Amino acid sequence: MKRAGACLIWLLLVCALPGFAAAQDTHEHQFVIETETPASCLEEGARVSRCACGETKTEVLPALGHDFALTWTVDREPTCHQTGLKSRHCTRCDAVTDLLSIRQTNHDFTVVTVEPTCTTPGCRHLTCKICGDEMTDNVTPALGHDPGLWVVEREAGCETEGLRSRSCKRCGEPMESLPIAPTGHAWRDTVTPPTCTEQGYTLHVCRACGAEKKDRFVKATGHTFADDGLVTKEPTCTEKGERRLICTVCGQPQTKAIPALGHQYSAVPTVDRAPTCTAKGEQSFHCLRCGARRDVTPLERTEHSPQLSDVAPTCTKAGAAGRLVCRVCGKQLDPGTVVPAYGHNYIRTGVEKQPTCTAQGSETLTCTRCGSAKTQALPALGHQYAESFTVDRPSTCTAQGEQSRHCLRCGKRTDVTAVPKAPHQAAYDVVTPPTCTKAGKSSGAHCAVCGKVLADAGTIPPTGHDPVATEIYSRPTCTAAGRALGCCRTCGAQQEMTLPPLGHSFESDWTIDKQPTCTAKGEQSHHCLRCGKRADVTPLERTPHTVVTDRAKKATCTRDGRTEGCRCSVCGKVLQAQTVIKAPGHKLKTTRTPATAKQNGKLVKTCLRCGKVVSKEKIPRVKSCALSKTRFAYDGKRKTPAVEIRDKKGALLREKRDYTLRYEKGRKQFGVWSVTVVFRRNYSGEKTLRFQIVPRSPVGLDAAQTPTSVTLSWEKVKGATGYAVYERIGRQYKKLCETEGLFVRLKNRASGQRCRFAVCALRALPDGRVLRSDPSAEKLTATKPAPLTLSVSRSAGCAVLRWNNAGDCEYEIWCAPKKNGRFLCIGTTRGTSFTAGPYPRGTRACFKVKACVRSDTGTLSTQISDVRQIWL
């Protein structure tokens, strides 16, 4: 269309020129394709062409027919329950041929085995990976409960029943429980003798439950004080002191005053305040004990101490050289020599206002010494015109334009110059076409802007008649002419006309006269559409093989696959052999579920290709998490206890791999400190463990005994705020008392009683908690046996000795010929009587009894009676 329009415009312009010759009556058509409807597989197409003179021509495009692909297309994939479909598709449309079915696939089951428990049966659960079908088989019955050993849940008491039970070994389900009968009290008697202020009694304590009851009370004995005592408050120069007397039996204190000492002044005076150049001093005599002063005397002021102090000059102020001042009070002693000021040294540090073409600017100057600033003016820049011209007003075909040079900074103009007029813009007039018998008019031209005529219109001669057959007398054929009545297409005038031979109209596409096969050639030619004559007979090469595809089998992780192959379905020739694709093996992905202290975790390894669970590994839960040591004795050093963590199977977890440790800062002083365990990788969560820094255990525990008391003493422990005293009874410690001192007196104890004591150091914390050290080494001791009253009588030449019960002790009987003679041990007994002899008549014998409380390691305490003499 664009080409035809261009030809028409060119023709009209040529006709408008002077001396243009008259147009010829006939011309040769030059057809250009105007529209084209392409043919499809089943429908014909059409092609419409048009000449510049307006003549059109229509050509029929024959249908293309289907072009089926040689390869198969899978229309529906096969599944476990349904066959698939495949066919060959037309490459141009949606038509299909050779529709075949594909055999359905087999189930691919995933097997999960459920083990039987005590109450639920086991089975094997199958799930198809492709379609999701499920089934269950291999059902095994429940195992039933398996009773375990009896476990004592609650011990029986002296008066209360106990409880025992047993559970299933596998699932832990309780199965049976039975009561345990009470055991009854097992009394142990302890005699507590009277003290100075408290009565004595017999204490009955149950060895099992600790129940107590008292009876057999004895009155208090009263205090017994010694002459000397302990100084509790030392006397000073002006204040009295105090002395504490302690009862020898119960330790009850009594206070006695000590007179004041009086002042003791030194023989040499002490300077209390040294004199300076501005103030007087002071001296006096001091007491050697309390520091009290007497005979206070003033000291005269000292001379000034000169020191050189120069003053450096600045930009605006003068300085001084050789100036002297006192180094003590700072007073000026000599002004020195004046040094003149330097003056300012300014440099440019910033622009406050930029200068323009016509206006001044300003800048800031700063002194490099003192930093003072000032402002000064910057001169105007002046205009800077561009070298090239700028069009201010464009020119037209009727008026001139204007151009000038502009300032690059402010835009002011200079060298204003005129721009010449522009040429006319031609526009063409409408064309009057000619008819069969009348002439037409060609196009003229004028300016589209101002309307000026640029070219006059010309004359176009008549076109003449263009007849077309309306009634055919004899039709033309491919080789013979015909006759018909003609009618002008333009004006409708009629006249007889001769129809020229049509000539052969051969198809543009080839017609296959003989189909080729994969084993023999074929033949094709162009056929005339009217008479069927053949032309351009051409042999056709043998066709390609009819390919049947041997479907490829994709390799899985564990099974080999095959590539796609093909063969001819006609002659059976193998065109592409299938090759084996080896199984690549599983590509594993590990999914980790961390274990905690309450539940197990797991590691599941799944193939990324096939989705199969290759392995499942249980991560045992954390069973124990403990510090290697939870108590440390204070020594001023930082404590860092190790941490031991084990899982349910007893395996030891590794630091930095399974967990990290975060210790609390400090860990040197007394207190409770924390260690935070942060689990990682196969384990999750946090756990805080705590340990204590406590005082050291007391050492040097010693004991002093009386028949009714034990006085314990020990060495001081650094940092301790108190001490707790314990007595071991059986396998347990019983707390007796707490004290802030280094000794304690334990009263109201039975005579000759063995006892074991230990002492713990205490440290009170600001939050109210009390830290307790480990017990000291045990001190095995015993109270002294009660005073012995010995009586001796004669019986058949023997001496019969009797004495009172002094406690849980052993008695040694000693004998000598006289009171100041050498005593020998003649026997031992645990009773309160002994018979010595027989002796010859007239023998004098002296006896005494020694009560001893012993242990496996030696004698703990003793008591000796008075000597008794008898004649036999």
Side-chain angles (χ1 to χ4, degrees):
M1 293 295 291
K2 292 181 180 180
R3 183 178 178 185
C7 293
L8 180 59
I9 293 172
W10 177 85
L11 179 61
L12 293 175
L13 289 175
V14 172
C15 294
L17 296 176
F20 178 73
Q24 296 181 1
D25 292 340
T26 61
H27 71 282
E28 184 178 354
H29 293 295
Q30 294 183 354
F31 290 101
V32 178
I33 298 173
E34 186 177 44
T35 61
E36 182 174 346
T37 303
S40 64
C41 296
L42 301 177
E43 296 180 358
E44 294 180 340
R47 182 184 296 124
V48 179
S49 303
R50 184 180 295 274
C51 180
C53 65
E55 181 72 18
T56 61
K57 181 179 70 172
T58 301
E59 295 181 75
V60 177
L61 302 178
L64 301 175
H66 292 300
D67 181 16
F68 291 106
L70 297 178
T71 58
W72 295 90
T73 300
V74 177
D75 301 316
R76 186 178 68 206
E77 292 289 345
T79 64
C80 303
H81 301 282
Q82 187 181 22
T83 58
L85 295 175
K86 67 176 182 178
S87 62
R88 292 192 297 115
H89 288 214
C90 178
T91 58
R92 286 188 288 269
C93 65
D94 296 333
V96 297
T97 187
D98 299 337
L99 186 64
L100 297 177
S101 62
I102 305 174
R103 186 177 59 184
Q104 65 185 39
T105 60
N106 296 325
H107 288 294
D108 185 6
F109 286 110
T110 299
V111 181
V112 177
T113 302
V114 180
E115 297 294 335
T117 65
C118 298
T119 56
T120 59
C123 64
R124 190 177 66 164
H125 188 71
L126 307 176
T127 304
C128 180
K129 298 178 183 177
I130 301 172
C131 65
D133 284 357
E134 298 181 356
M135 61 179 296
T136 302
D137 61 1
N138 294 350
V139 178
T140 55
L143 302 175
H145 291 300
D146 183 9
L149 299 176
W150 289 99
V151 176
V152 177
E153 296 185 359
R154 186 176 67 246
E155 294 285 350
C158 298
E159 298 177 352
T160 59
E161 286 187 344
L163 182 67
R164 63 173 181 167
S165 64
R166 58 178 178 176
S167 304
C168 178
K169 293 180 181 179
R170 284 187 289 269
C171 66
E173 182 72 20
M175 295 182 62
E176 187 179 3
S177 61
L178 293 175
I180 302 175
T183 59
H185 290 295
W187 298 108
R188 177 169 60 87
D189 297 342
T190 302
V191 178
T192 301
T195 64
C196 300
T197 58
E198 297 180 0
Q199 63 181 357
Y201 58 88
T202 301
L203 176 65
H204 306 278
V205 180
C206 178
R207 292 185 177 87
C209 67
E212 298 180 356
K213 64 179 182 179
K214 298 179 181 178
D215 57 10
R216 303 175 190 174
F217 294 98
V218 182
K219 293 182 179 181
T221 60
H223 293 297
T224 303
F225 294 106
D227 293 337
D228 56 351
L230 178 67
V231 177
T232 58
K233 180 181 178 182
E234 294 290 343
T236 65
C237 298
T238 58
E239 294 182 359
K240 295 180 179 181
E242 290 182 356
R243 184 188 307 276
R244 187 175 66 174
L245 301 177
I246 300 176
C247 176
T248 57
V249 178
C250 65
Q252 178 69 30
Q254 181 181 11
T255 303
K256 183 177 180 181
I258 303 174
L261 301 176
H263 292 298
Q264 181 182 354
Y265 291 101
S266 64
V268 179
T270 300
V271 176
D272 301 319
R273 186 175 69 248
T276 65
C277 55
T278 58
K280 292 183 178 182
E282 194 176 74
Q283 69 178 7
S284 62
F285 293 90
H286 287 211
C287 177
L288 297 177
R289 280 191 289 267
C290 66
R293 298 195 303 161
R294 75 171 184 178
D295 301 335
V296 180
T297 307
L299 299 176
E300 295 298 325
R301 290 183 295 183
T302 60
E303 297 292 333
H304 288 293
S305 178
Q307 174 180 290
L308 185 63
S309 177
D310 294 339
V311 178
T314 64
C315 297
T316 57
K317 292 182 180 181
R323 177 172 173 264
L324 295 178
V325 296
C326 179
R327 65 164 52 90
V328 178
C329 63
K331 181 179 179 181
Q332 180 174 306
L333 305 178
D334 187 351
T337 305
V338 177
V339 180
Y342 292 132
H344 291 296
N345 180 27
Y346 287 107
I347 61 171
R348 182 178 181 180
T349 58
V351 177
E352 293 185 354
K353 180 181 179 183
Q354 293 288 349
T356 65
C357 298
T358 57
Q360 291 183 341
S362 63
E363 65 179 353
T364 302
L365 302 179
T366 305
C367 178
T368 59
R369 296 190 185 94
C370 66
S372 62
K374 70 175 184 178
T375 304
Q376 70 177 15
L378 294 175
L381 301 176
H383 293 297
Q384 181 182 354
Y385 292 103
E387 295 181 359
S388 59
F389 283 87
T390 300
V391 176
D392 301 320
R393 185 177 70 249
S395 61
T396 65
C397 58
T398 58
Q400 292 183 338
E402 190 176 75
Q403 65 180 2
S404 63
R405 290 191 299 114
H406 289 208
C407 176
L408 298 177
R409 283 188 285 269
C410 65
K412 185 177 180 180
R413 298 193 305 160
T414 187
D415 300 336
V416 180
T417 309
V419 179
K421 295 180 181 180
H424 292 290
Q425 297 183 13
Y428 297 97
D429 300 330
V430 178
V431 177
T432 302
T435 64
C436 298
T437 57
K438 294 181 178 181
K441 187 178 180 181
S442 63
S443 174
H446 64 278
C447 180
V449 178
C450 62
K452 183 179 179 181
V453 176
L454 303 178
D456 294 331
T459 303
I460 302 174
T463 59
H465 292 295
D466 182 15
V468 63
T470 58
E471 184 179 352
I472 299 175
Y473 301 135
S474 61
R475 293 185 176 277
T477 63
C478 296
T479 56
R483 288 186 312 111
L485 176 64
C487 181
C488 180
R489 288 189 178 92
T490 305
C491 62
Q494 293 184 347
Q495 64 180 5
E496 187 177 339
M497 58 181 298
T498 301
L499 302 176
L502 300 175
H504 293 294
S505 178
F506 292 103
E507 293 177 337
S508 59
D509 293 335
W510 294 93
T511 300
I512 299 175
D513 302 318
K514 179 183 177 183
Q515 288 287 349
T517 65
C518 56
T519 55
K521 291 184 177 182
E523 192 176 75
Q524 67 179 1
S525 62
H526 289 114
H527 287 209
C528 178
L529 295 173
R530 284 183 287 271
C531 65
K533 183 177 179 180
R534 295 196 305 159
D536 302 329
V537 179
T538 308
L540 295 175
E541 295 298 326
R542 287 181 296 181
T543 61
H545 293 286
T546 303
V547 179
V548 176
T549 303
D550 295 326
R551 199 170 107 184
K553 183 178 181 182
K554 188 177 181 181
T556 64
C557 298
T558 55
R559 296 180 181 177
D560 294 339
R562 294 193 302 273
T563 61
E564 186 179 86
C566 60
R567 51 189 172 80
C568 180
S569 62
V570 178
C571 63
K573 182 179 180 181
V574 176
L575 304 177
Q576 181 179 352
Q578 291 181 296
T579 58
V580 177
I581 303 173
K582 291 186 176 181
H586 292 299
K587 183 179 180 181
L588 299 179
K589 172 189 175 184
T590 302
T591 302
R592 190 189 315 272
T593 302
T596 64
K598 294 183 178 180
Q599 61 183 9
N600 298 326
K602 60 182 178 180
L603 289 175
V604 180
K605 293 184 178 180
T606 308
C607 180
L608 293 175
R609 297 190 180 96
C610 65
K612 181 179 180 181
V613 177
V614 177
S615 66
K616 287 185 179 180
E617 181 181 351
K618 181 190 291 184
I619 303 174
R621 64 176 178 84
V622 178
K623 184 178 181 181
S624 63
C625 181
L627 296 174
S628 60
K629 190 174 182 181
T630 58
R631 291 170 59 85
F632 292 88
Y634 171 76
D635 58 2
K637 298 181 181 179
R638 180 178 286 107
K639 307 303 178 186
T640 306
V643 178
E644 182 180 279
I645 305 175
R646 294 186 180 273
D647 60 18
K648 187 178 179 182
K649 294 184 177 180
L652 191 65
L653 273 62
R654 288 171 51 188
E655 185 180 359
K656 296 184 179 179
R657 184 193 69 179
D658 300 319
Y659 63 91
T660 58
L661 299 178
R662 187 168 65 241
Y663 288 90
E664 187 177 355
K665 293 183 179 179
R667 311 191 307 281
K668 292 183 179 180
Q669 302 301 322
F670 294 102
V672 181
W673 305 92
S674 64
V675 181
T676 303
V677 181
V678 182
F679 293 97
R680 60 190 297 268
R681 288 193 66 195
N682 292 345
Y683 302 89
S684 65
E686 293 186 2
K687 185 176 179 63
T688 301
L689 306 175
R690 289 178 172 82
F691 65 92
Q692 297 179 352
I693 298 180
V694 300
R696 287 185 174 275
S697 300
V699 296
L701 181 60
D702 198 5
Q705 313 97 345
T706 69
T708 59
S709 66
V710 177
T711 302
L712 300 176
S713 62
W714 54 87
E715 296 181 8
K716 184 177 181 180
V717 177
K718 184 177 180 180
T721 59
Y723 303 89
V725 180
Y726 293 86
E727 181 180 4
R728 195 175 81 172
I729 300 175
R731 296 183 180 180
Q732 296 181 347
Y733 279 104
K734 179 182 178 181
K735 182 177 177 181
L736 301 180
C737 63
E738 291 187 3
T739 181
E740 296 181 359
L742 299 179
F743 69 93
V744 66
R745 187 179 182 88
L746 304 176
K747 301 177 293 182
N748 300 330
R749 307 191 71 84
S751 301
Q753 180 185 9
R754 297 179 186 85
C755 42
R756 293 177 181 268
F757 298 103
V759 180
C760 292
L762 307 178
R763 171 72 181 201
L765 299 180
D767 58 2
R769 291 183 294 178
V770 178
L771 299 178
R772 195 178 308 273
S773 72
D774 293 334
S776 65
E778 286 187 354
K779 178 65 177 178
L780 175 62
T781 185
T783 56
K784 283 181 173 291
L788 295 174
T789 303
L790 178 63
S791 64
V792 182
S793 61
R794 291 185 293 270
S795 176
C798 297
V800 179
L801 286 71
R802 292 184 175 86
W803 56 89
N804 59 299
N805 187 359
D808 184 12
C809 54
E810 185 181 69
Y811 302 96
E812 296 178 354
I813 294 83
W814 294 76
C815 180
K818 55 183 179 179
K819 287 187 177 182
N820 57 353
R822 182 181 179 186
F823 281 87
L824 297 176
C825 181
I826 61 174
T828 59
T829 182
R830 296 193 65 86
T832 57
S833 64
F834 184 82
T835 302
Y839 291 97
R841 186 176 180 83
T843 302
R844 183 176 66 174
C846 295
F847 295 96
K848 63 180 179 180
V849 177
K850 182 179 181 180
C852 302
V853 181
R854 292 190 174 93
S855 67
D856 296 339
T857 57
T859 302
L860 302 178
S861 63
T862 60
Q863 185 73 270
I864 302 176
S865 68
D866 295 335
V867 178
R868 293 287 185 264
Q869 179 178 281
I870 189 173
W871 290 90
L872 301 171

